[in-house]
Amino acid sequence: MLDIKFYPREQLKAKPTDESKLGFGKIFTDYMFLMNYEAGRGWFDPRIVPYGPLSLDPSCMVFHYAQEMFEGLKAYRTADGKIQLFRPQKNIERMNNTNRRMCIPEVDPDDALQAIKAIVECEKDWVPHSVGTSLYIRPFIIATDAQLGVHPSKTYLFAIILSPVGSYYAAGINPVKIFVETEYVRAVRGGTGFAKVGGNYAASLIGQAKAEKLGYAQVLWLDGIEHKYIDEVGAMNVFFVIDGEVITPALDEGNILPGVTRASCIELLRSWGYKVTERRLALSEVIEASKNGKLDEAFGTGTAAVISPIGELVDETDRIVLNGGEIGPIAQKLYDNLTGIQWGTVKDSLGWVEPVI
Ligand code: COI
């Protein structure tokens, strides 16, 4: 159990007045959670302090060797005024899986949950009210040893910052256009693809920039060895519905982020009787299915992206328009049920919701 100290700020910020313009991750709340780590001492000094710049030595390891990790989850306001989290234990489990891969010390899962709940409760007035909005929670850990040798750091800073958000894509729930990247790769077996680390996203920027220049919202990454099999879209996992079967790339190669939304969609779909298969899926199979009229729909899943239908998929030679550029029935059903559970309008029969207040 953490003994979290609170350091009040003199003046609170003005809260956003127009929740339809929140976008994603542009506004931050009044406070943040911080906690330090030293080898031999463990995690110490948990505190909630005014949100603001961190003072770090320029030689800190995180700046040079990217020893860091992050997570992403959300707090939702229900119609009856409660604030709740969605499966935070899953994020905490993934956080510690990432920590092990990155030689970052693990955080006690109960302490991590307590810290998340404490900062969300402190900032409860920042949880937006409008449909489609939430308070995005970004826990992260950075290596703070001030030295340039390449070794795991002995000191770390764990922080949690909060941002009231609307939809991740400007298109909202409308289908997004995705560019298939065939030159660069995001992850390879044995690498950090399954971990939530900034380096994965840094490596993806060149593809993302190329896609944006061509008018696409995101990049579809293929496997790093054969450039043949579908991995993920960086900010989301992907699902394809071929001839009634829902297919999503399997996690066993270690290239793909094990998304909490991905896992939840698989569980929901199976509970509704859909056939869901986790396996290798070649891009050529998707193209073939499209040509044969068997590609019913495709969508991405993620905490930030929620359920994001894919309206168009383009590589160097093929352009696939899915479901006439409209959201498909399975994506719509998942969106309605998942967000319903999160916003408290659909019964949480699977016990996924964790109350804060
Ligand atoms: C999330 O969905 O929470 C993410 O972290 C994806 C992206 C914004 C990096």
Side-chain angles (χ1 to χ4, degrees), residues 24 70-73 136 138 168 196 201 234-235 302-305:
F24 182 82
F70 70 93
E71 263 302 326
L73 64 161
Y136 187 76
R138 173 54 63 87
Y168 184 71
K196 204 146 176 69
Y201 297 81
T303 298

